[in-house]
Amino acid sequence: MNFKFWMTIALIPVLIQCTNNNTKVEQKFEPLDSIAFNQTLIDLGEKLFFDPRLSINNTVSCASCHHPDKAFTDGKKRSIGIHQRVGKRNAPSLWNVKNQDLMMWDGGVRSLEHQAIVPLQDTNEMGVSINDLFPKLAEIQYYDSLAKLLYDRSFDPFVLTRALSAFQRNIYQENSEYDEWKNKGVLKDSALHRGYSLFNEKLNCAQCHSGSNFTNNSMQNKGLYVEYEDLGRFNITLDSADIGKFKVPTLRNVGITAPYMHDGSFESLYEVIMHYEKGGKSNPNKSELIQPFVLTNQEREDLLYFLNALTDQRYVN
């Protein structure tokens, strides 16, 4: 598999001991803050992430909707789960997810540990009951042995959620053309510089897409619809002011994570730019930050260049 290409820490080998044809992991406990412990936990989370046995019919894994070669998205408007059921929303990228304080498009989950439970139980995604899942997974000796190695307990929801979250926090990289350009200093009169200036100054996109991860993790109504079928943040707060509000996504790797928006309604970055250029659609909750603007063809090309320059170098041919 090529999914490890972005990882910078070498895997620490797990000691295997075979007895009576049963494979188990040798009991060698590590301090919770040790590098060996952390990497072993990440390794366990990685195996779980790609394991379709986490779904009710052994057909869907976390990676089914979060492909490493697509910056941990799936290229679909809405993901396909068990029995070819269509998910509720577009699969967001997991790139640099460790920097997020709210999970899911509606921000309804506050930690990666809790987030892992949501797709497992969603009937359109993995559709499994937690009560049924863990007897099945605990019978896999590799998982149960590592649970005992790491936490001195049998494989259970605690171990699963910690391992998956550790793996996802390790999906972290800032190695794009933009990063190289920024670290080497500003090169004047280049498409990247012009696009970056437009993004930050003329258009003020950085007010929401800020920081090294290009998101402030806030909830915004982007004027996508006059009336929203998916009510977004309202489903969590029941506050009518939150109807149509969704999390501001990271722009890291945005050039390869189409389609865009919570429902995958835009197929290209050009469509996204044109949406904002028109000021979005009229909606009482639309962010005041979204106002119409005018770009020349050259400015639009420069802005697109900048956005594509946020793609990690390992994805660039």
Side-chain angles (χ1 to χ4, degrees), residues 221-239:
N221 182 313
K222 307 174 185 72
L224 195 57
Y225 298 109
V226 175
E227 294 185 7
Y228 283 79
E229 180 178 345
D230 184 340
L231 301 183
R233 184 67 174 167
F234 172 82
N235 293 328
I236 305 301
T237 65
L238 301 182
D239 183 345

Side-chain angles (χ1 to χ4, degrees), residues 213-225:
N213 208 32
F214 292 91
T215 176
N216 62 2
N217 296 314
S218 67
M219 300 288 156
Q220 302 289 340
N221 182 313
K222 307 174 185 72
L224 195 57
Y225 298 109

Side-chain angles (χ1 to χ4, degrees), residues 142-190:
Y142 176 79
Y143 290 158
D144 199 53
S145 295
L146 275 184
K148 290 182 171 67
L149 171 70
L150 294 166
Y151 292 110
D152 196 20
R153 62 196 292 165
S154 297
F155 188 80
D156 61 8
F158 178 90
V159 179
L160 172 86
T161 55
R162 269 61 185 179
L164 284 173
S165 65
F167 171 70
Q168 291 177 79
R169 286 189 174 94
N170 202 48
I171 303 170
Y172 181 83
Q173 188 66 266
E174 293 180 357
N175 184 34
S176 65
E177 180 185 353
Y178 160 79
D179 295 300
E180 183 177 2
W181 168 80
K182 181 182 178 183
N183 293 334
K184 288 186 175 180
V186 175
L187 177 63
K188 301 291 185 181
D189 197 30
S190 67

Side-chain angles (χ1 to χ4, degrees), residues 123-135:
T123 55
N124 286 341
E125 296 187 50
M126 302 171 90
V128 70
S129 164
I130 295 299
N131 291 333
D132 295 334
L133 177 63
F134 284 92

Side-chain angles (χ1 to χ4, degrees), residues 33-247:
D33 60 350
S34 73
I35 293 175
F37 170 86
N38 289 333
Q39 189 56 55
T40 302
L41 185 63
I42 290 168
D43 191 26
L44 172 59
E46 180 180 34
K47 291 185 182 299
L48 287 163
F49 192 86
F50 290 89
D51 192 342
R53 289 174 292 186
L54 270 64
S55 65
I56 191 171
N57 61 355
N58 302 326
T59 62
V60 175
S61 70
C62 303
S64 298
C65 300
H66 299 284
H67 296 223
D69 59 352
K70 296 182 184 295
F72 292 87
T73 61
D74 62 5
K76 299 179 175 66
K77 284 190 174 184
R78 293 185 293 167
S79 299
I80 306 299
I82 57 169
H83 309 305
Q84 296 300 301
R85 294 173 183 167
V86 180
K88 298 179 180 69
R89 293 171 180 159
N90 177 258
S93 173
L94 299 181
W95 203 263
N96 294 6
V97 72
K98 74 173 187 176
N99 292 333
Q100 298 180 25
D101 55 4
L102 293 175
M103 308 299 127
M104 318 295 284
W105 277 104
D106 55 23
V109 180
R110 292 188 172 272
S111 74
L112 278 171
E113 287 76 16
H114 289 110
Q115 186 277 332
I117 300 297
V118 177
L120 287 174
Q121 299 187 112
D122 192 305
T123 55
N124 286 341
E125 296 187 50
M126 302 171 90
V128 70
S129 164
I130 295 299
N131 291 333
D132 295 334
L133 177 63
F134 284 92
K136 178 174 74 169
L137 294 182
E139 291 176 358
I140 301 171
Q141 192 150 20
Y142 176 79
Y143 290 158
D144 199 53
S145 295
L146 275 184
K148 290 182 171 67
L149 171 70
L150 294 166
Y151 292 110
D152 196 20
R153 62 196 292 165
S154 297
F155 188 80
D156 61 8
F158 178 90
V159 179
L160 172 86
T161 55
R162 269 61 185 179
L164 284 173
S165 65
F167 171 70
Q168 291 177 79
R169 286 189 174 94
N170 202 48
I171 303 170
Y172 181 83
Q173 188 66 266
E174 293 180 357
N175 184 34
S176 65
E177 180 185 353
Y178 160 79
D179 295 300
E180 183 177 2
W181 168 80
K182 181 182 178 183
N183 293 334
K184 288 186 175 180
V186 175
L187 177 63
K188 301 291 185 181
D189 197 30
S190 67
L192 180 49
H193 177 259
R194 293 192 302 269
Y196 178 75
S197 297
L198 280 168
F199 183 87
N200 280 276
E201 298 167 12
K202 178 176 179 177
L203 304 181
N204 199 24
C205 305
Q207 189 152 343
C208 290
H209 293 284
S210 57
S212 64
N213 208 32
F214 292 91
T215 176
N216 62 2
N217 296 314
S218 67
M219 300 288 156
Q220 302 289 340
N221 182 313
K222 307 174 185 72
L224 195 57
Y225 298 109
V226 175
E227 294 185 7
Y228 283 79
E229 180 178 345
D230 184 340
L231 301 183
R233 184 67 174 167
F234 172 82
N235 293 328
I236 305 301
T237 65
L238 301 182
D239 183 345
S240 61
D242 285 337
I243 292 175
K245 288 186 178 179
F246 295 90
K247 188 169 69 174

